[in-house]
Amino acid sequence: MAGETGLKKYEYQVRDRQGKVQTGQIEAQNEGLVARRLQDMGFAPIAINEVKTSGLNTEIKIPGLSDRIALKDIAVMARQLATMIASGLSLLRALTILAEQTENKTLGGIVDRVRADVEAGTSLSAAMGKHPKAFPPLMVNMVKAGEVGGFLDTVLESVAKNFENEVKLRSKIKSAMTYPVVVFSIAILAVTGMLLFIVPVFSDMFANLGGELPVPTKILVALSTGLRVGAVPLIILIIIGITLWRRNRRKPAFRDRVEPLFLKAPVFGTLVQKIALSRFTRNLASMLRAGVPILQALDIVGEVAGNIVVERAAIDVRESVRRGNSLAGPLAQHPVFPPMVVQMMAVGEDTGAMDTMLDKVADFYDQEVEATTDALTSLIEPLMIAVLGALVGGMIVALYMPIFGVFDLIE
């Protein structure tokens, strides 16, 4: 990692304000920056030595896992940075402390590079903008507005609250969907295992017995034979499908065809709509409160809503505002926005309390998402158990039907 980021690890020995000697490790580009950072933290450096790492004790990193930065990490970082700045710490010192204490090492390295850019005279928002994979555009633009307005700590606190709500929303959905996904996976594994390993044993036994097999048993044997022959091609097709999905899911042409279907899905369409509305209203409220220009805010909230239908609506609203028209008017032309949302936004626009109204709408849809996921879980759990029982039970009955026929012949 040092070769890629230019950071080296140093061991230091310092004396604090009470005269006590402390030791530790720190990552920086050179010894001079280490000494300066330690002085900013209130320490008097005694010794600074570079740590030479060998191949045996080099940290092993798994691409896509160990270097992943979760939204929760960003929320915690924003909350800590807001607290330190509000307490009177300088921005450089706050970033130095954050780089040291951030649990996610990848994020810690990025924060350290942001600190180096800020130290070189770059603004915090511009330094964050160099790392789009770590800091979402929503955060960068809100920080920029906070820098211009002189209330960076308030904006960072708003960013933290926004991301914490998003993390909470995601965790609710994940916890609600965990049980059905686990049961479905078990059903797939059980059926596949029976078709690959159990049915062939019975099939050989039936061939030795002779006679005509019942139709359910014939279907089961045919499925088993087909799966054994086509298992490898099926796995290859699944891998190709996943690869194509990952490559194309961000492309506009693909999104135009697929994402509207999510909203029309029989059971989950309503849930997808409520999640998109919650994100749209909460993000727009946060950006308007932070002082981000409304046209710029609409560009960003449309992109992060998670569905191209909502993104198109945001584009229409942006064009309406650019022409000097109302904010809520164009939303009435898009069915994805219920009349309640349109009316509340219209009232907020008339009263000058748009951010407050949007917050209320976001809170409402957060509660709706929670209620919908609970209802879906209550509905899906017994259905999944019934489907699993029917699949496995039906296969067992189909396997034993020829044996019952043999018993009838013996009698």
Side-chain angles (χ1 to χ4, degrees):
M1 180 177 175
E4 295 177 0
T5 63
L7 297 179
K8 301 175 183 177
K9 185 175 289 186
Y10 292 90
E11 286 183 343
Y12 64 80
Q13 189 177 21
V14 296
R15 196 178 300 275
D16 62 17
R17 289 191 176 93
Q18 286 74 36
K20 296 179 180 179
V21 176
Q22 297 185 17
T23 59
Q25 291 187 344
I26 195 170
E27 288 186 349
Q29 294 172 337
N30 54 57
E31 290 186 17
L33 287 175
V34 173
R36 190 182 304 173
R37 288 169 61 182
L38 292 171
Q39 288 169 355
D40 288 342
M41 296 167 68
F43 298 128
I46 300 172
I48 299 173
N49 299 303
E50 184 180 348
V51 178
K52 301 293 184 182
T53 56
S54 65
L56 290 175
N57 53 24
T58 300
E59 186 179 359
I60 299 174
K61 293 190 176 293
I62 303 173
L65 293 178
S66 58
D67 59 348
R68 183 173 176 269
I69 299 174
L71 187 63
K72 184 178 180 181
D73 298 324
I74 302 296
V76 171
M77 189 212 83
R79 175 73 66 185
Q80 292 175 340
L81 186 57
T83 302
M84 286 188 281
I85 292 175
S87 301
L89 270 69
S90 67
L91 179 58
L92 280 176
R93 188 169 182 184
L95 289 171
T96 300
I97 295 170
L98 265 183
E100 289 298 316
Q101 71 179 25
T102 300
E103 292 183 4
N104 188 307
K105 297 303 179 185
T106 303
L107 180 59
I110 291 173
V111 171
D112 192 66
R113 293 198 290 279
V114 168
R115 183 208 56 77
D117 288 339
V118 171
E119 192 174 21
T122 308
S123 67
L124 178 61
S125 58
M128 286 181 168
K130 294 180 180 180
H131 308 280
K133 291 184 178 180
F135 305 113
L138 178 79
M139 182 178 187
V140 174
N141 282 274
M142 288 181 68
V143 168
K144 184 177 181 180
E147 288 174 324
V148 173
F151 45 88
L152 183 59
D153 55 337
T154 306
V155 166
L156 286 168
E157 194 169 328
S158 178
V159 169
K161 184 178 179 182
N162 184 292
F163 287 166
E164 285 164 359
N165 287 334
E166 178 68 17
V167 169
K168 193 183 297 183
L169 181 67
R170 291 183 183 181
S171 65
K172 287 176 184 175
I173 298 168
K174 286 181 181 178
S175 62
M177 295 295 108
T178 297
Y179 182 82
V181 169
V182 169
V183 174
F184 181 74
S185 302
I186 291 172
I188 295 295
L189 290 174
V191 171
T192 303
M194 291 183 71
L195 289 174
L196 288 177
F197 304 108
I198 298 176
V199 174
V201 176
F202 279 82
S203 179
D204 294 338
M205 184 177 67
F206 298 152
N208 294 329
L209 288 175
E212 185 72 16
L213 293 176
V215 174
T217 310
K218 287 182 179 179
I219 295 172
L220 196 60
V221 171
L223 287 173
S224 175
T225 305
L227 185 61
R228 281 184 291 166
V229 173
V232 174
L234 181 62
I235 292 172
I236 293 173
L237 284 175
I238 292 173
I239 293 173
I240 292 173
I242 294 172
T243 304
L244 290 174
W245 168 262
R246 288 181 174 177
R247 286 183 179 179
N248 297 308
R249 63 178 178 172
R250 303 293 183 191
K251 294 181 180 179
F254 184 79
R255 295 182 64 200
D256 279 335
R257 294 180 180 179
V258 175
E259 291 186 2
L261 299 177
F262 293 162
L263 296 172
K264 298 176 182 178
V267 179
F268 296 96
T270 304
L271 180 61
V272 172
Q273 179 189 14
K274 290 175 180 177
I275 292 170
L277 290 174
S278 174
R279 284 176 178 164
F280 178 87
T281 51
R282 184 190 301 108
N283 291 334
L284 185 57
S286 298
M287 298 195 79
L288 292 179
R289 190 181 301 109
V292 178
I294 188 167
L295 294 177
Q296 191 174 356
L298 287 168
D299 270 338
I300 295 167
V301 297
E303 292 176 5
V304 300
N307 193 284
I308 199 166
V309 177
V310 178
E311 189 173 335
R312 287 177 189 153
I315 292 172
D316 286 351
V317 174
R318 184 192 63 196
E319 294 304 317
S320 173
V321 173
R322 181 174 285 146
R323 293 191 299 266
N325 298 325
S326 69
L327 182 71
L331 294 181
Q333 309 302 320
H334 294 270
V336 70
F337 285 89
M340 182 203 75
V341 176
V342 177
Q343 292 300 321
M344 288 188 71
M345 289 182 67
V347 171
E349 197 172 12
D350 292 338
T351 59
M354 176 66 78
D355 56 339
T356 304
M357 284 295 183
L358 288 169
D359 275 334
K360 290 181 179 179
V361 173
D363 291 339
F364 171 78
Y365 278 107
D366 280 347
Q367 295 172 2
E368 284 289 297
V369 168
E370 186 173 0
T372 303
T373 50
D374 288 343
L376 284 175
T377 304
S378 301
L379 174 67
I380 290 173
E381 284 182 9
L383 285 177
M384 293 297 292
I385 293 172
V387 169
L388 179 59
L391 281 173
V392 177
M395 292 176 70
I396 292 173
V397 170
L399 287 175
Y400 278 93
M401 285 177 71
I403 299 175
F404 297 150
V406 172
F407 290 157
D408 291 340
L409 289 174
I410 294 172
E411 291 177 358

